[in-house]
Amino acid sequence: MVKIKDNTVQVVFISLLLDLLAFTMILPLLPALLDYYKEIEDDEGMYFKILHYIQKARKFFDAPVKVNTVLYGGFLGSMYSFLQFLGSPIVGALSDIYGRKPLMIFCLTGIALSYLLWALSFNFTIFVLARFVGGITKGNINLSMAIISDVTSSKTRGKAMALVGIAFSIGFVAGPMIGAFFAWSSSDNRQGAWYIIPALFALFLAASDLFFIACNLQESLPLKCRTRTLASGVSGILTYINPIDLFQFSGISDLSVQDKKSLKTLGCAYFMYLFIYSGLEFTLTFLTHYLFEFTSMQQGWMFLGIGLIMAILQGSWIRTIPPDETKSVAELGLWLIIPAFICVGFANDMLILSTGLLLFAISTAMVVTCMMTLVTRIGPDYQKGAITGVFRSLGALARACGPIVASSAFWCIGSKTTYLIGAAFLVFPPIILRRIKSF
C-alpha cells in the first residue's frame, strides 16, 4: 500500500459527490429539455432525424405515443453509457502509466467542458455533443476506485468503497432534487434558453471539483509502481474496447492464472447482473406511471426513499463488513434482487410494490459496493487502473444494452413476463460468483 496522507479517501469522496450532484441533476430536466429542442428545431434538425427512428421503434412495439420522450431519454442514456464503455478502460490503463492525478484532471476537464457545451446548446446537435464529451471523459469514477485501491489495504478497502457507495446514494438523492427545483422554478418560464441556469450550476459544480482535485489530490501511484508501456499501437487500444478482450481481461498483463480466472468470473457475473438490473431499473418508471399512475413527484419520492435506504446501509453496516465476508454479502445481495423484481413485476397494490422496492434498495447497496471491493483485491498494484477501468467498462456496456432490451420486452410481452424472465436470469450471477474460491 502506498503511504500517503490519510485524507485521500475523503478527497475522493468529496470529488465524487460534486461530480454526481452535477451528473444527476439533469435527470428530471431531460423531458423538458427534449420538449424544448423539439419546439425550436426544424424538420431537418438532428432532433427530428433521431425521432424518426424512435417513432418507428415505438410503432413496431405498439407503444403509446407519449413514450416517445422516454424512449428518447433511453437513447441518450444508452449513448452515454456506451461512450463510458469506450473510454473507461483506456483512461484506466493510461493512469497506470502516467499516474492517477493527470488523468483525473483530464477527465474532470472534459466533464466541465460538457456542461459548458450544455449551457451553449442553442440547438440539439450541441446538446448531443455535450453528452458525447461528458460520456467519453467519464473515467473519473474508475480512477477513484483505483486511487482508493492504491491507498488502502485489504482490511480497510471495504470501508473506503462503502464511502464511494454513500457518495453515489447522496448524489442520486440530492442531485435530482436540485434538478427538480430548477424544473419547478422554470416551469412558468420555458421561453428562451431556460436551461442555461441549471447548466451553469452544473458547470460550477464540475469546475469546483476540478479545482478541488488539482489542489488537494496527491498522486497515489509513484513512478516505481507504474507500468512502462501501453500495449502497442491500434491493436493495444482495441484490446481495451473489444468486448471479447474485455471479458477475457486481455489488456491486463502480469496476472497469475488464478487472478485472470477470478477476474473473468467476476466480470461475467457483474455484466450479467448489471445487464438485467439496469434494464429492469429503466422500465420501473414505465411500470409505476402506467400501472400505478405515479406522477413525476411521486416517482421522485420513490427514488428518494430508495437512495436514503442505500445511504443508511452503506454508511452503517456495509462499510463495517469484514474482508472475509465481502464475497458472501455480495452473493446474498445478488439473491435478494430476484424476489425484489418478482414483487415489483407482480405488484397490484402499494404494499407489494413497496416490499419489492425495499428489497431492491437493500440489494443494490450490498452488491455494487462489495463487488467493486472484490475486484480491487485482484492483480498487481500497478495494474489497478486498467483492472477497474475494464470492470467499469463492462458495467457501462451492460447499462448501454440492458435498457434497450428490457424496454423492447416491456412493450412487446408486458411487464409481468419481462420481470419474471429477468428474475429467472438473475439466478445465474450469484451462482457464477460462487465459483470464485480465492476470496
Side-chain angles (χ1 to χ4, degrees):
M1 181 181 68
V2 178
K3 291 185 177 180
I4 200 167
K5 285 186 176 180
D6 294 334
N7 68 346
T8 299
V9 174
Q10 286 73 22
V11 169
V12 170
F13 171 79
I14 294 171
S15 173
L16 280 174
L17 188 57
L18 290 170
D19 173 68
L20 291 165
L21 286 174
F23 170 71
T24 57
M25 63 174 286
I26 195 176
L27 298 180
L29 295 172
L30 196 55
L33 277 169
L34 294 177
D35 289 340
Y36 168 77
Y37 289 116
K38 182 179 180 180
E39 291 175 4
I40 67 170
E41 292 264 300
D42 57 40
D43 292 343
E44 298 301 318
M46 179 180 286
Y47 182 93
F48 284 97
K49 288 181 180 178
I50 298 175
L51 182 61
H52 173 72
Y53 293 102
I54 288 177
Q55 287 177 329
K56 280 188 173 181
R58 177 187 60 77
K59 291 177 181 177
F60 178 79
F61 296 125
D62 196 26
V65 175
K66 57 186 174 181
V67 305
N68 272 339
T69 300
V70 178
L71 294 176
Y72 219 129
F75 158 74
L76 290 175
S78 292
M79 181 194 75
Y80 197 91
S81 295
F82 182 74
L83 291 168
Q84 281 186 274
F85 153 70
L86 294 178
S88 289
I90 297 175
V91 167
L94 290 174
S95 77
D96 289 334
I97 302 172
Y98 301 109
R100 313 296 189 211
K101 186 171 182 178
L103 271 296
M104 180 69 87
I105 290 175
F106 168 78
C107 288
L108 295 180
T109 301
I111 292 169
L113 177 60
S114 74
Y115 295 128
L116 176 60
L117 287 170
W118 176 24
L120 299 174
S121 58
F122 54 84
N123 61 42
F124 188 64
T125 301
I126 299 178
F127 179 72
V128 172
L129 177 62
R131 300 300 290 171
F132 183 92
V133 172
I136 202 69
T137 57
K138 194 66 176 176
N140 61 309
I141 296 178
N142 72 273
L143 287 177
S144 298
M145 306 296 181
I147 291 169
I148 288 175
S149 180
D150 291 337
V151 302
T152 57
S153 66
S154 58
K155 292 182 179 180
T156 60
R157 193 164 297 146
K159 186 176 181 180
M161 286 297 177
L163 276 178
V164 173
I166 294 171
F168 269 85
S169 298
I170 295 175
F172 276 85
V173 169
M177 296 296 286
I178 296 172
F181 170 77
F182 282 116
W184 171 79
S185 63
S186 62
S187 59
D188 296 329
N189 183 25
R190 288 286 168 84
Q191 301 300 318
W194 59 270
Y195 58 84
I196 290 180
I197 294 177
L200 289 177
F201 185 73
L203 174 60
F204 167 74
L205 291 173
S208 300
D209 190 7
L210 175 59
F211 180 78
F212 177 75
I213 285 294
C215 294
N216 294 282
L217 182 66
Q218 288 186 294
E219 179 55 60
S220 62
L221 189 66
L223 285 171
K224 64 180 180 180
C225 295
R226 298 178 192 177
T227 188
R228 298 303 178 190
T229 58
L230 189 64
S232 60
V234 176
S235 61
I237 295 176
L238 291 177
T239 299
Y240 289 102
I241 62 175
N242 184 323
I244 297 176
D245 288 327
L246 282 175
F247 279 104
Q248 297 296 319
F249 286 82
S250 302
I252 315 299
S253 59
D254 299 332
L255 287 175
S256 67
V257 174
Q258 181 60 46
D259 281 350
K260 177 66 74 75
K261 182 179 179 181
S262 296
L263 276 177
K264 289 162 61 176
T265 303
L266 191 59
C268 181
Y270 184 66
F271 177 85
M272 183 175 290
Y273 159 76
L274 205 54
F275 175 82
I276 302 169
Y277 170 94
S278 64
L280 299 180
E281 177 190 41
F282 181 76
T283 59
L284 182 59
T285 53
F286 295 163
L287 181 84
T288 54
H289 179 70
Y290 290 109
L291 297 185
F292 289 88
E293 298 183 344
F294 272 23
T295 64
S296 297
M297 185 60 70
Q298 287 174 312
Q299 288 184 342
W301 283 112
M302 175 182 71
F303 285 110
L304 174 64
I306 291 171
L308 285 176
I309 292 170
M310 290 171 55
I312 291 170
L313 286 175
Q314 290 166 333
S316 55
W317 171 49
I318 302 296
R319 66 197 307 258
T320 63
I321 295 173
D324 59 340
E325 296 180 11
T326 305
K327 178 172 171 283
S328 61
V329 172
E331 287 183 20
L332 176 60
L334 289 171
W335 285 116
L336 281 178
I337 197 66
I338 299 173
F341 276 115
I342 291 176
C343 288
V344 171
F346 285 82
N348 51 19
D349 58 50
M350 286 302 301
L351 177 60
I352 299 176
L353 177 66
S354 299
T355 301
L357 293 177
L358 175 62
L359 292 172
F360 173 83
I362 295 172
S363 168
T364 304
M366 296 165 68
V367 172
V368 177
T369 299
C370 290
M371 292 194 80
M372 287 307 302
T373 302
L374 291 176
V375 79
T376 57
R377 295 180 185 172
I378 305 175
D381 290 340
Y382 61 86
Q383 290 277 39
K384 296 300 185 186
I387 291 172
T388 55
V390 170
F391 197 72
R392 281 201 60 82
S393 189
L394 288 172
L397 180 61
R399 284 194 174 277
C401 302
I404 297 174
V405 174
S407 297
S408 302
F410 188 94
W411 298 119
C412 285
I413 60 179
S415 58
K416 287 183 172 60
T417 305
T418 299
Y419 279 58
L420 183 62
I421 292 174
F425 277 99
L426 282 168
V427 170
F428 293 101
I431 294 175
I432 294 172
L433 184 61
R434 179 162 293 189
R435 291 164 49 192
I436 303 178
K437 304 297 183 182
S438 59
F439 292 112

